[in-house]
Amino acid sequence: MAEDSPKRRKANFNEAETEVLIEQVLKHEQLLFAAGPGRASPGQKRKAWELIRHKVNPLCRLSQGCGPPGPAAALGLLLAPEEMPPAAAPPA
């Protein structure tokens, strides 16, 4: 019966979002996860996570319609042109 099968929940991120998330976490790995005397302050880590969030969220808005973009969501403000998905790239 269906009652015995475990429920599967929707994935938090699609494939493109997961790739960006992994790429950005690896890029900032030393800052985010370093231990010892050279570690980053909580404020520095928070800024790094904010940067990562801004890189992943525009993909969510474009691919899944996760709600209206905020005032700063003109993707050019959040992503460099080479980082933008082809559909969101500004006209040349």
Side-chain angles (χ1 to χ4, degrees):
M1 290 188 107
E3 293 177 21
D4 295 334
S5 63
K7 292 184 179 180
R8 305 256 328 172
R9 62 182 221 140
K10 183 180 170 218
N12 290 331
F13 301 103
N14 66 29
E15 187 175 329
E17 293 163 347
T18 301
E19 288 179 24
V20 171
L21 180 62
I22 291 169
E23 174 188 309
Q24 292 299 312
V25 168
L26 291 175
K27 182 178 178 180
H28 300 285
E29 180 178 18
Q30 186 64 30
L31 175 79
L32 295 170
F33 304 112
R39 70 178 182 253
S41 72
Q44 290 170 315
K45 289 181 182 183
R46 186 177 63 250
K47 287 180 184 178
W49 283 116
E50 281 290 311
L51 176 68
I52 293 168
R53 181 176 63 89
H54 284 292
K55 298 269 182 168
V56 173
N57 280 351
L59 292 175
C60 173
R61 288 185 187 107
L62 288 174
S63 64
Q64 298 174 357
C66 293
L75 292 177
L77 298 177
L78 301 176
L79 298 174
E82 63 274 6
E83 296 175 311
M84 284 192 228

